[in-house]
């Protein structure tokens, strides 16, 4: 186990004019405790030289990890920092002093209370402030993105008012770096969504950038939307394929039954019941297979899924009948239309309710896994470079 203390991870991209002041203020904030500052630098200017200069006179150890191949951008830099940190408790902060180093003792103190693995410096809780964001547009975009993100992960992020901030403490024993797919700016979101961590927050005042310019851009915004979509709907594609197979089977069964002379409403009911069961089996096996660890909940999941799909069928089939009776289209076509509409509703219900993360249960198993990982980390060789190229492929 690493010694007690804290590593301040600072990702930098062309921050030469901010380094000295940052090191001065972080050193002040770290006074009286073990710590180090670890710059993970992707700069194209002389920031690395400045960091080396400043490290010569700094009261706390300063390390520089310069990357010639900046895989994963800002998020990739943070993950490299977590790997290379001297201490298990790490604080990630920007290198432009928008994140007040004076908050470090608050973050460390909150973590020391022992009930949180991640402590977020939030701009959105009592005493927090995001004035430093500058323009109203930037503020609006930031707030909107936060609300959208929270809507996507209502359960996981229920205790995180500011999942997009770049200022947070993380106990790296509780995250699996291999599970992270950093991709630009939103590394905290990545950590919160991909590992089961207990979250606490402290208020922060987001300051003005000291020198230089922000690297946030329209392209970063687009990358974020893609990132969010992947995080939330990565399974959507699989779910869609199975849903598609189910719909085709449904239509095939209906077609066969109506041709055998079964009344189309009954044919629709039978086709619906058969595909409900078939879909559930395929879903368990292929779509949500990483969330089905708890076999005792299989019957609960089936009950929820079965109930939902029957309610859905009870709403869908009358609509289908309505289309047949008033538009005089074929019952197969009407069924196809109704199935497409029902698909989206079904995915939302399954991902938010049936396969929603179950904190209590997962926490216990995660805890066991964390202990196991700790054991591995002590004995295992350093993580190999294969992991890096994997991170890069998502960038
Ligand atoms: N190593 C590395 N590689 N560092 C980078 C990179 C990169 O590709 N891109 C940016 N950085 C560093 C910057 O040098 C700075 O220290 C920090 O990451 C944040 O970059 P800024 O350009 O200052 O971003 P911002 O102020 O617009 O955005 C900040 O606030 C957002 C909240 O609105 C960041 O903290 C975001 O993560 C945060 O979401
Ligand atoms: Mn900034």
């Amino acid at each position: 186990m690493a010694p007690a203390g804290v590593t301040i991870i600072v990702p930098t991209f062309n921050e030469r004019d901010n380094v000295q002041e940052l090191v001065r203020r972080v050193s002040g904030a770290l006074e009286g405790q073990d710590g180090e500052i670890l710059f993970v630098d992707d700069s194209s200017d002389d920031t690395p030289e400045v960091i080396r200069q400043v490290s010569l006179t700094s009261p706390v150890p300063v390390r520089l990890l310069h990357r010639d191949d900046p895989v994963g951008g800002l998020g990739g830099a943070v993950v490299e920092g977590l790997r290379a940190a001297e201490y298990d408790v790490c604080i990630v902060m920007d290198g432009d002093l928008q994140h007040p180093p004076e908050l470090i003792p608050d973050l460390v103190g909150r973590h020391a209370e022992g009930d949180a693995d991640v402590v977020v410096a939030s701009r959105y809780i009592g005493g927090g402030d995001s004035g430093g964001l500058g323009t109203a547009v930037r503020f609006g975009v930031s707030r909107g993105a936060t609300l959208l993100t929270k809507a996507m992960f209502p359960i996981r992020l229920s205790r995180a008012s500011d999942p997009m901030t770049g200022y947070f403490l993380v106990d790296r024993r509780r995250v699996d770096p291999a599970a992270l797919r950093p991709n630009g700016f939103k590394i905290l979101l990545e950590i919160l969504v991909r590992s089961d961590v207990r979250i606490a927050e402290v208020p922060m005042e987001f300051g003005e950038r000291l020198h230089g310019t922000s690297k946030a851009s329209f392209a970063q915004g687009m990358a974020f939307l893609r990132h969010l979509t992947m995080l939330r709907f990565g399974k959507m594609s699989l779910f869609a394929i199975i849903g598609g197979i189910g719909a085709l089977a449904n239509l095939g069964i209906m077609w066969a039954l109506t041709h055998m002379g079964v009344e189309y409403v009954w044919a629709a009911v039978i086709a619906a019941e058969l595909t409900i069961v078939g879909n559930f089996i395929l879903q368990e096996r292929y779509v949500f297979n990483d969330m089905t660890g708890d076999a005792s909940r299989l019957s609960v999941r089936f009950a929820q899924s079965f109930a939902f799909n029957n309610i859905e069928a009870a709403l869908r089939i009358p609509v289908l009948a309505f289309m047949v009776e008033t538009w005089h289209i074929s019952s197969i076509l009407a069924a196809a239309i109704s199935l497409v509409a029902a698909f989206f509703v079904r995915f939302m219900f399954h991902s938010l309710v049936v396969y929603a993360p179950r904190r209590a249960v997962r926490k216990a198993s995660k805890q066991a896994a964390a202990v196991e990982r700790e054991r591995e980390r002590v004995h295992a060789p350093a993580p190999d470079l294969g992991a890096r190229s994997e991170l890069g492929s998502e960038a």
Side-chain angles (χ1 to χ4, degrees), residues 184-240:
F185 269 46
K186 305 306 172 191
I187 182 62
L188 173 61
L189 177 63
E190 187 67 33
I191 290 172
L192 297 181
V193 169
R194 295 221 199 259
S195 38
D196 196 36
V197 286
R198 299 166 300 168
I199 305 168
E201 300 192 313
V202 298
M204 106 150 135
E205 233 171 277
F206 193 56
E208 304 277 354
R209 184 173 245 287
L210 189 62
H211 292 290
T213 51
S214 165
K215 285 86 198 174
S217 60
F218 184 71
Q220 281 289 348
M222 288 298 116
F224 160 68
L225 284 181
R226 179 179 157 275
H227 189 186
L228 185 61
T229 312
M230 276 295 296
L231 275 173
R232 177 70 276 183
F233 295 112
K235 296 173 180 305
M236 180 71 152
S237 39
L238 276 176
F239 193 85

Side-chain angles (χ1 to χ4, degrees), residues 10-15 40-43 67 70 72-78 93-99 123-124 133 138 142 162-167 184-187 206 209 213-217 220:
V10 187
T12 46
F13 182 80
N14 298 354
E15 300 286 1
V40 188
D41 182 67
D42 294 333
S43 296
R67 307 194 303 165
L74 171 52
V78 170
M93 74 158 68
D94 290 356
D96 58 2
L97 288 162
Q98 283 188 289
H99 296 154
R123 295 164 289 180
Y124 302 126
L133 273 180
R138 211 34 240 279
S142 175
D162 194 359
M164 326 285 273
T165 180
Y167 194 13
F185 269 46
K186 305 306 172 191
I187 182 62
F206 193 56
R209 184 173 245 287
T213 51
S214 165
K215 285 86 198 174
S217 60
Q220 281 289 348

